[in-house]
Amino acid sequence: MNEESLPAPDAAPDVSVVVIVYNDETRLPTAVRSVLEQTLRNVEVVIVDDRSTDGSYDVARGLAVEYPGRVRAFRLDRNSGGCGAPRNHGIAQARGTYVLFLDSDDVLERNACRNMLEAAETTGADLVSGMCVRVHVDSRNGKEVKWYPWLYARTRTLESISELPDLLVFDTLSTNKCYRREFLVEQGLEFPVGIHYEDLLFSAQAYAAARRITLIPNRVYDWNVVDKAAAKSISNRRAEIANFAHRMEIHRRVDQLLADKGLLELKFHKDVKFLKHDLVLHLRDLPFRDASYREEFAAIARDYLESIDRAAFDEVEPIHAICAYLLQKSDWDNLLPAVDTLTNRDKISSPMVERDGRIYWCAEHLDDDPDGHLDLDLDGHLDHDLDEHRDGDFARHVLDVTELGYHAKPVEKMFLRNVLTGYEEVAGTVRLAGRITNPLGVVPPGARLTGELEFAARRKGVRFQIFRFPVATLRHEGEAIAWEASADLARGLRPLGIVDAVWDVRLHLDVDGARTTTRLTASEPGLADGQLPVRPRLTRLVADHVTPEISSRGHLAFRIVTREKVDALVEKGVRGAPGRFAKSGYRKAKEVRRKLTSGDTKIRLYHEVFSRLPVKKGLVVFESHLGRQYSDSPKAIYEEMRRQGLGFEAVWSYTGSSPSGFPADATLVRRWSLPYLKALAQAEFWVDNQSYPLKLTKRPETTYIQTWHGSALKRMGFDEPEWKLRTRPEQAEQQRTLDRFDRFLIRSEHDVRTLARAFRLKEKTLLRVGYPRNDALVQVRRREEEVGLRERGALAAELGIPDDKAVLLYAPTFRQHGGRQRRFELPFDVERFADTFGDRYVLLVRSHYLNHVVLPPSVRGRVIDVSAHHDVTPLLALADGLITDYSSVMFDYALLGRPLFFFAYDYEEYVHEGRGTYFDLLERAPGPVVRTEDELHTALASLDEQAVKYAEAREGFVAEFGEYDKGNAAQSIVDQFFAQWRRG
């Protein structure tokens, strides 16, 4: 139908939009007009008023009079208290072929009806669903959040909801959907009445009944959210226990529906979502609820949790599973701390316990099963079919947090729970007491302890105001550190007033000189109360008291109590001309600051300002692995320059907040900082092993020595399929960054055929000198051959390796998987390895610098994580044998003439599903290539045997891939480029 045309008076509408309203006379017209202004004009509005007590029904009737034939208004006989009854009435009154639902405080996107109708008519779908967007109407920047956008990345039609379980599990809204009215009537689909969360059940019923479902990637519905609303929506009234009871009842009904329909796989997906989303919403509120609420909550939840498939616990994050399990047990002593970690994800809130080399969240429940063993399936998950009644097994499985690595963290890297146990106000002084969790005894009994309380304004602009008070008492009490302190806020806290309304409290704990910072958790409602006098810097007329309040994350803070008249004056000023002027100025200043610190501005400063400064003779900027490390060939060149006593100015880049391991005799600059850009612009030499920022043009007066970081097995650069698919402009831009290299280090003609060709480097760029980082390896082998014995050196003693044990190093390549934490799971059972070889070998594990690994405590002394060692070269020199997969360390380690083992458990996937390789490792490997853990164990049985068996292959491997590594690469580079700086 033409957009401008209107339907004939008697024509049936294509779409009926049911708009429900209750006491919302102000916003109702906006919702209705979003329907009337649709580009599809043959649309009717069916307004159903849920017996409002304001003028909503009068507004509805007025709209019906204003738009006869397009708007009809109805009113229920009594208020239903929910959305179900008015929507059901709307379905009954609708005349359209299709039905949509709209709440009076939301709006439809202008093309919603047209897009959904076309999709339904084209595909014959009973149900069409489009993207909903949450619009935060009271946010400063018009914040918008798409509702599960991955479901709507493209148009797709489903013959059954089983094809996309995530749709049923996550998109439970009824309002972003268009339903064929005959389908609703034939299936008898109605919203439940007298219970909240009716959308969950209605959507599940519709999904399960639909013969065809079409999803479209179009925005169709704007869900307007008022974050600072005085009255919470029904679904957000989580303080009401009935709210949770309704949610559980709806879940039970959905579960029964899925069971009746034989959709048990969907039930499992729904269980997973319940554990990590629905339950979490209510768990986070538990610290703010009293004991009676908690007990009733647990009683309701316990029954439903019993119906959850235990296998679902394996599919959620450990803290989600732990909370659900402890809730089932009504173990409040352990649950409330766990909820603290659930809310503050990095916080360590339990003292934990170590049993048999594993770390558990708590000691309770581990011994519920007298059999005392775990039944695991082949993947290491709990085998729920063997004996589902073994609760001790299940408890140990759920409560096992070994892989989170808490046991490997020093105290200064821990964010510890600090629960407030005492609060008292006496004459302007607040007396506080608390207990800081001491996980796994990380704070030893004899540690020297000091502490201080810190009060800091929450608002960033005034955060320079910080007031500190000493902690008078600190006591080691085993699983906790008890403390007591007094803060004279009447004299010691000097707020400005108004602008610094909220003050956060932290406690800094020093343990033998190592500092950790805690927040004060208030886990019991009503513990902190009252008012304390303060002396504002402006005037007491503004405010002269603070009152404690608990943040949404459960932490103690203090808020300035302003006088009522001042509040009114401030409100008037904020809303008036002075306030608008001030806010405008603040926004402009904020925008200026944002622009000055943006990447684009920094790049312009580099090119337009810093690059016009004169090049500083003798200035060298070094960088290794994008500033993450002091390592590799840049380190070797730097140390050779220092060894020769050259006169030069050294700058090392670093990334992160606190650089460690970098040389004290060099200037350190943070990557992408202005000093970093200035140094690069004025440097006579750049030396790095990966790449300086791609958008920075190198000046002609600067020499760029690119050491690179390894010979290539996997395809690189323009040999990668991904690079070949890029557009010509994108390829040209990439080539421009590669053309910055003035010299590119080559360690073999293999590098010429692979790296140099893949990067399209000119012959004059190539420097055939080998890798400076490998000089040490070549020299180690020479010394061993000369004297006939191994010298382990200081690193073995530092790592505590006994003289009678050989050393194996496991150094795999980078793995993309691992989630946000990039955790790398070892592809073999490290405990089995330690038990099998612990009497002969010490295994060093070094994950790629972009991954990290966690070892269980049970392998202490037998397996050591050395990933924190930036420079791999000393580790290679220490190892009697190397285990790797496809890492380029194979080319380096081969220089030592020692055994190599290749654990290629995913070879086909790596070669065929990845970016491909330059040669077949199975044919060219200078050591055994194994696919399984058993094969690896067999190969490792005798290092001496492997050393002899593959000696000739190793020599051939070195000749082909390390022909220019002669042990003098660093000296050669210094002689060629930096000899003029020799003193005297």
Side-chain angles (χ1 to χ4, degrees), residues 411-653:
V411 68
E412 62 270 21
K413 297 291 186 181
M414 291 182 167
F415 177 27
L416 301 175
R417 173 176 163 90
N418 184 353
V419 63
L420 193 66
T421 58
Y423 181 98
E424 182 183 12
E425 185 268 319
V426 179
T429 296
V430 59
R431 295 176 180 172
L432 304 172
R435 287 172 59 84
I436 302 172
T437 299
N438 185 19
L440 300 169
V442 69
V443 181
R448 179 172 51 85
L449 304 177
T450 59
E452 65 177 5
L453 284 176
E454 176 186 280
F455 289 72
R458 182 176 296 175
R459 188 168 179 175
K460 292 181 180 180
V462 291
R463 198 168 285 176
F464 60 87
Q465 292 190 100
I466 296 177
F467 302 95
R468 296 184 174 92
F469 303 88
V471 175
T473 302
L474 284 162
R475 296 188 306 276
H476 195 292
E477 297 184 352
E479 293 186 343
I481 307 300
W483 61 271
E484 297 170 7
S486 296
D488 187 352
L489 300 187
R491 296 184 179 182
L493 186 64
R494 297 298 310 279
L496 290 171
I498 301 177
V499 296
D500 51 357
V502 181
W503 290 75
D504 290 315
V505 188
R506 293 172 176 83
L507 188 148
H508 301 295
L509 176 67
D510 283 78
V511 182
D512 289 332
R515 167 172 284 205
T516 184
T517 299
T518 69
R519 300 294 299 272
L520 275 57
T521 296
S523 61
E524 292 298 328
L527 177 62
D529 199 8
Q531 291 189 4
L532 296 103
V534 292
R535 294 186 300 157
R537 294 179 185 271
L538 295 180
T539 172
R540 289 179 181 271
L541 294 177
V542 173
D544 60 2
H545 282 79
V546 294
T547 186
E549 71 173 21
I550 309 304
S551 72
S552 60
R553 291 185 175 271
H555 296 140
L556 177 68
F558 287 87
R559 178 177 293 276
I560 296 176
V561 182
T562 55
R563 301 179 186 278
E564 293 182 7
K565 291 183 178 180
V566 173
D567 286 341
L569 185 62
V570 170
E571 181 72 12
K572 182 178 180 181
V574 167
R575 296 185 179 278
R580 288 194 297 271
F581 178 78
K583 284 189 284 187
S584 174
Y586 172 75
R587 292 192 190 105
K588 289 178 180 178
K590 189 176 180 181
E591 179 65 16
V592 168
R593 182 180 179 184
R594 185 191 66 79
K595 289 181 178 179
L596 287 175
T597 57
S598 70
D600 291 341
T601 299
K602 288 181 175 180
I603 292 171
R604 285 201 305 272
L605 281 171
Y606 172 84
H607 289 108
E608 299 173 12
V609 178
F610 296 148
S611 292
R612 294 181 181 178
L613 299 173
V615 169
K616 295 177 67 175
K617 294 297 182 181
L619 175 59
V620 186
V621 178
F622 296 88
E623 185 170 287
S624 179
H625 293 302
L626 307 179
R628 292 184 178 91
Q629 302 176 352
Y630 172 62
S631 65
D632 212 73
S633 291
K635 172 187 176 183
I637 294 172
Y638 171 78
E639 292 186 348
E640 177 65 19
M641 293 171 71
R642 288 298 191 206
R643 188 188 67 81
Q644 294 192 22
L646 303 187
F648 68 104
E649 182 182 351
V651 171
W652 272 91
S653 85

Side-chain angles (χ1 to χ4, degrees), residues 272-554:
V272 173
K273 193 244 185 177
F274 176 82
L275 290 176
K276 68 181 182 181
H277 177 72
D278 299 77
L279 183 60
V280 169
L281 290 176
H282 293 270
L283 283 173
R284 285 175 174 162
D285 291 330
L286 282 184
F288 305 102
R289 307 289 174 248
D290 59 26
S292 62
Y293 178 97
R294 293 173 186 172
E295 290 299 334
E296 192 171 355
F297 176 86
I300 296 171
R302 191 181 304 115
D303 183 49
Y304 186 75
L305 285 169
E306 289 295 333
S307 72
I308 296 289
D309 188 335
R310 283 188 165 183
F313 284 72
D314 284 337
E315 303 300 320
V316 300
E317 293 186 37
I319 193 61
H320 293 149
I322 289 168
C323 286
Y325 178 79
L326 295 175
L327 178 62
Q328 272 187 284
K329 297 294 184 180
S330 293
D331 183 354
W332 299 106
D333 289 340
N334 288 304
L335 174 58
L336 290 178
V339 170
D340 200 1
T341 294
L342 186 69
T343 305
N344 302 279
R345 302 310 297 271
D346 296 325
K347 185 180 289 189
I348 304 175
S349 60
S350 171
M352 290 177 278
V353 64
E354 180 178 341
R355 292 271 187 91
D356 301 322
R358 306 296 294 178
I359 305 299
Y360 297 97
W361 184 261
C362 57
E364 291 76 9
H365 318 295
L366 299 181
D367 301 319
D368 290 357
D369 170 37
D371 193 18
H373 71 274
L374 284 171
D375 289 322
L376 301 179
D377 62 21
L378 294 178
D379 296 321
H381 296 125
L382 193 67
D383 192 334
H384 306 282
D385 294 328
L386 289 176
D387 187 352
E388 63 182 1
H389 300 295
R390 240 185 213 120
D391 197 57
D393 282 358
F394 185 59
R396 286 189 293 278
H397 186 64
V398 170
L399 298 174
D400 190 333
V401 292
T402 307
E403 299 208 355
L404 296 183
Y406 293 129
H407 59 282
K409 287 187 176 183
V411 68
E412 62 270 21
K413 297 291 186 181
M414 291 182 167
F415 177 27
L416 301 175
R417 173 176 163 90
N418 184 353
V419 63
L420 193 66
T421 58
Y423 181 98
E424 182 183 12
E425 185 268 319
V426 179
T429 296
V430 59
R431 295 176 180 172
L432 304 172
R435 287 172 59 84
I436 302 172
T437 299
N438 185 19
L440 300 169
V442 69
V443 181
R448 179 172 51 85
L449 304 177
T450 59
E452 65 177 5
L453 284 176
E454 176 186 280
F455 289 72
R458 182 176 296 175
R459 188 168 179 175
K460 292 181 180 180
V462 291
R463 198 168 285 176
F464 60 87
Q465 292 190 100
I466 296 177
F467 302 95
R468 296 184 174 92
F469 303 88
V471 175
T473 302
L474 284 162
R475 296 188 306 276
H476 195 292
E477 297 184 352
E479 293 186 343
I481 307 300
W483 61 271
E484 297 170 7
S486 296
D488 187 352
L489 300 187
R491 296 184 179 182
L493 186 64
R494 297 298 310 279
L496 290 171
I498 301 177
V499 296
D500 51 357
V502 181
W503 290 75
D504 290 315
V505 188
R506 293 172 176 83
L507 188 148
H508 301 295
L509 176 67
D510 283 78
V511 182
D512 289 332
R515 167 172 284 205
T516 184
T517 299
T518 69
R519 300 294 299 272
L520 275 57
T521 296
S523 61
E524 292 298 328
L527 177 62
D529 199 8
Q531 291 189 4
L532 296 103
V534 292
R535 294 186 300 157
R537 294 179 185 271
L538 295 180
T539 172
R540 289 179 181 271
L541 294 177
V542 173
D544 60 2
H545 282 79
V546 294
T547 186
E549 71 173 21
I550 309 304
S551 72
S552 60
R553 291 185 175 271

